[in-house]
Amino acid sequence: MSSAAEHATAGSLVWRLSMKWRVAVDRAVAPLGLTHAQYVLVTSLYGLTSSGEQPSQRQLADRTGLEPLYVSKLARGLEAAGLLARARDPRDPRAMRLALTEEGLDVTRRAIAVVQRLLDQLLEPLGGQDSARTGRLKGELAALLDTPLDPFTAQDKEPS
């Protein structure tokens, strides 16, 4: 463990790792005309459409953990760039259905390859993407993501 990690809180380490990853992905996908947030959106859309779905912006927000208004903003930008198409849902005129264009599919596939190489670098110290250590890490991260956080409950527990 590095000396910086020895004295850091778990929250600080989560923050630093998430920032390190965000910056690295931003730099890796920038040559493809994407940001990290756009990458998350197009790859989630790619995964959903590969299984036969045409998700709404709301479904994509739920899947990515991004705010619906932010997904809408990202989708409009990706549509303007020719990477995705938005269409009104005939069953719910308030909902927008999303689909990658041919160019969007090409860019998304290339971005996935770039980020997979980056992920290989990140997880190499744990034995790689398929190692038992990485599997345990994924389980621990999933448990943390599944834990509800309520800042108001936390404030109630502070000493007076």
Side-chain angles (χ1 to χ4, degrees):
M1 182 180 297
S2 71
S3 61
E6 288 179 40
H7 303 292
T9 65
S12 173
L13 293 172
V14 168
W15 169 255
R16 289 180 58 198
L17 181 58
S18 68
M19 293 305 298
K20 176 181 179 174
W21 181 248
R22 188 191 66 74
V23 167
V25 173
D26 266 337
R27 288 179 180 156
V29 299
L32 298 171
L34 297 174
T35 65
H36 186 200
Q38 290 171 324
Y39 170 81
V40 168
L41 197 73
V42 296
T43 56
S44 295
L45 182 56
Y46 179 80
L48 288 168
T49 56
S50 294
S51 64
E53 296 182 49
Q54 187 179 10
S56 68
Q57 287 182 177
R58 179 62 193 211
Q59 288 170 309
L60 212 49
D62 291 343
R63 172 136 177 170
T64 61
L66 297 170
E67 291 295 321
L69 285 173
Y70 190 44
V71 169
S72 178
K73 177 183 174 185
L74 290 171
R76 284 191 308 272
L78 290 164
E79 181 180 40
L83 301 180
L84 71 77
R86 297 177 338 134
R88 291 257 176 236
D89 185 330
R91 295 167 301 200
D92 181 358
R94 297 168 298 165
M96 296 296 286
R97 296 281 168 189
L98 305 176
L100 292 168
T101 62
E102 285 302 316
E103 182 181 358
L105 283 168
D106 177 60
V107 168
T108 299
R109 288 180 184 126
R110 291 174 27 218
I112 288 169
V114 167
V115 173
Q116 283 300 306
R117 288 191 297 273
L118 197 58
L119 190 57
D120 285 338
Q121 290 176 34
L122 178 69
L123 296 175
E124 189 273 329
L126 300 181
Q129 291 193 47
D130 297 323
S131 74
R133 283 182 70 191
T134 297
R136 288 191 299 275
L137 174 65
K138 287 170 52 178
E140 297 293 341
L141 292 171
L144 293 174
L145 287 170
D146 289 342
T147 302
L149 296 177
D150 182 353
F152 300 108
T153 301
Q155 289 174 359
D156 294 341
K157 293 182 181 178
E158 289 183 11
S160 300

